[in-house]
Amino acid sequence: MTDGDTRDTASPSWDRRAGVPKRPGETLCCFDPAREVIVTGNLLLWSWSADYDTATKRRKKAVKFADITSQFVKSGDHPAIGAGNIIAFREAVDREFGSDEDNRPFVFYDHGKCAVVNYPNAVRFELVPKIAGVGRRFGLNASEF
């Protein structure tokens, strides 16, 4: 900004970092190459509800894992998500990966009848099959988002 510039940079419609005006409702994102960028993924683990517990019922309702995951992301639930044994699943995950949450490569979120595991992309191909395998022992489905 120069001395003769009369733009109101204190206004919420001005993004100081980028030096450009922004429209209401628009979010501007800046990349700082000095900071490490960590891309993460999520794994949703759940069991089928009574209304979706057979392949025939699922075909009739034309439900797909992507539909369930998408609605879970938006609302935190889907009718196909039943009450899974998340407590026992969590205990098995703690036994396999250790219970020190600060020193394992993921974060476990208990959502009551389902769970979400958040992990850095760097460990995805090693971790997701292991977590999903533990989930299968408890009758849980797994889908990434």
Side-chain angles (χ1 to χ4, degrees):
M1 206 158 87
T2 63
D3 289 333
D5 199 336
T6 59
R7 293 179 287 183
D8 179 13
T9 57
S11 147
S13 67
W14 185 264
D15 186 308
R16 285 191 195 115
R17 293 168 301 175
V20 296
K22 75 178 188 180
R23 291 170 274 189
E26 179 182 45
T27 302
L28 295 178
C29 180
C30 297
F31 174 70
D32 181 358
R35 295 184 69 191
E36 181 182 0
V37 177
I38 298 174
V39 177
T40 66
N42 294 293
L43 185 67
L44 173 64
L45 296 114
W46 85 97
S47 63
W48 294 111
S49 68
D51 291 340
Y52 292 81
D53 62 356
T54 66
T56 303
K57 291 177 184 178
R58 292 190 291 273
R59 269 193 306 273
K60 186 176 180 179
K61 295 181 187 236
V63 70
K64 299 176 191 152
F65 274 34
D67 302 331
I68 296 164
T69 306
S70 178
Q71 186 170 334
F72 176 82
V73 169
K74 292 176 189 168
S75 69
D77 200 9
H78 185 282
I81 297 175
N85 192 351
I86 302 305
I87 293 171
F89 169 61
R90 171 71 183 258
E91 291 170 352
V93 167
D94 288 347
R95 280 192 303 277
E96 186 156 331
F97 294 96
S99 59
D100 183 1
E101 294 180 2
D102 293 333
N103 289 314
R104 58 187 187 189
F106 61 89
V107 179
F108 189 102
Y109 296 99
D110 185 335
H111 287 270
K113 59 183 186 175
C114 63
V116 173
V117 174
N118 176 263
Y119 51 87
N121 199 45
V123 299
R124 175 182 180 219
F125 295 112
E126 180 183 338
L127 182 71
V128 169
K130 290 179 182 177
I131 296 281
V134 173
R136 275 192 299 277
R137 294 195 312 242
F138 294 90
L140 302 176
N141 302 301
S143 61
E144 289 185 279
F145 66 95

